[in-house]
Amino acid sequence: MTPSVRPDARAFAKAESVFLAGETGPVWRVVEGVVRLDRDSGPIRQPVQLALPGDLIGIDALCERRYQFSATAFTACRLVPVPLGASGPRVPLLQQALLQHQDRSEDMTALRTGSVPQRITHLLCLMGLEWRPDGRALGGEADAIRDALPTLREVAQVVDAKTETVCRALAQLLPPRSRKSGPVRAVRDWSSTAPGRLATAWAAHAAPPICCRTSPA
């Protein structure tokens, strides 16, 4: 354990459930990674927001209510509980939650409007991945970016697109996966940095999109 890791921090693997709607528990602060908040609608979960490093989730606990949304690790992440004693700082936390809601709602709008490549570009920037408009400059980093992303199905749900469309957009934005053996180059440690904003341009002469197969031929 490194000195910067709090002893009460809890790690969650990619796609692991953090809590379910209707449960009770503490307010959590995202220390590293991205958490997806969903509204349960029968067997389907509808994405509501993505929580980034520094964000609070489970804010219903500030009002002593059950969780309204379900939370799942969108990427591998670490969370810490926020103490709420009788004299705890509830007002500052409520203020942060209000401002955070405005920012994340703006992000969610960008993730679900515009062209699919633009939506995915915004997602990559929010995740703090080392993406550049000129995909040819990525080199081996493209492999690490692809590995850091959740499944195509999860990305498609967040950006409100079909999996085939997401696959084509990723093929347009990123160079083909490297065929070299051995570990891929790690992406930058972004846990302590602010989330990036939407990049507005990419390579003018992108390679023709190559779509992944979603089912056996």
Side-chain angles (χ1 to χ4, degrees):
M1 180 180 294
T2 62
S4 61
V5 177
R6 284 179 43 170
D8 56 346
R10 181 174 173 185
F12 293 86
K14 187 188 301 184
E16 183 179 355
S17 175
V18 178
F19 55 74
L20 299 175
E23 294 181 343
T24 59
V27 177
W28 294 91
R29 186 180 299 280
V30 181
V31 177
E32 180 180 303
V34 181
V35 177
R36 168 176 159 172
L37 299 176
D38 297 307
R39 181 187 301 278
D40 292 341
S41 181
I44 302 175
R45 289 188 177 180
Q46 300 175 335
V48 175
Q49 283 186 358
L50 294 180
L52 308 177
D55 286 354
L56 301 173
I57 63 172
I59 58 176
D60 313 86
L62 290 172
C63 303
E64 300 180 353
R65 298 182 60 184
R66 295 179 181 272
Y67 296 136
Q68 181 181 3
F69 305 124
S70 294
T72 307
F74 191 66
T75 67
C77 60
R78 287 191 299 114
L79 311 176
V80 293
V82 179
L84 295 176
S87 59
R90 291 177 181 261
V91 172
L93 291 174
L94 285 168
Q95 292 174 335
Q96 179 187 345
L98 175 61
L99 296 176
Q100 171 190 309
H101 175 74
Q102 294 175 334
D103 291 340
R104 298 300 160 255
S105 295
E106 182 179 355
D107 286 331
M108 206 63 191
T109 299
L111 288 171
R112 300 175 74 84
T113 57
S115 69
V116 174
Q118 287 176 326
R119 302 178 203 180
I120 294 177
T121 295
H122 191 70
L123 177 61
L124 295 178
C125 291
L126 286 178
M127 293 175 66
L129 297 174
E130 288 284 5
W131 182 86
R132 301 182 182 88
D134 185 355
R136 293 168 297 183
L138 278 167
E141 293 178 354
D143 291 349
I145 290 177
R146 292 180 186 274
D147 291 337
L149 285 171
T151 65
L152 282 176
R153 179 175 177 272
E154 291 177 278
V155 173
Q157 288 176 340
V158 168
V159 302
D160 193 25
K162 295 182 178 180
T163 54
E164 296 88 346
T165 307
V166 169
C167 184
R168 286 194 295 267
L170 285 172
Q172 176 184 347
L173 294 171
L174 299 175
R177 183 178 287 275
S178 172
R179 295 187 179 183
K180 295 181 180 179
S181 58
V184 297
R185 180 178 175 182
V187 295
R188 174 172 58 90
D189 179 9
W190 50 272
S191 59
S192 61
T193 60
R197 310 310 301 172
L198 175 63
T200 57
W202 47 78
H205 302 288
I210 302 176
C211 182
C212 305
R213 290 189 177 182
T214 57
S215 61

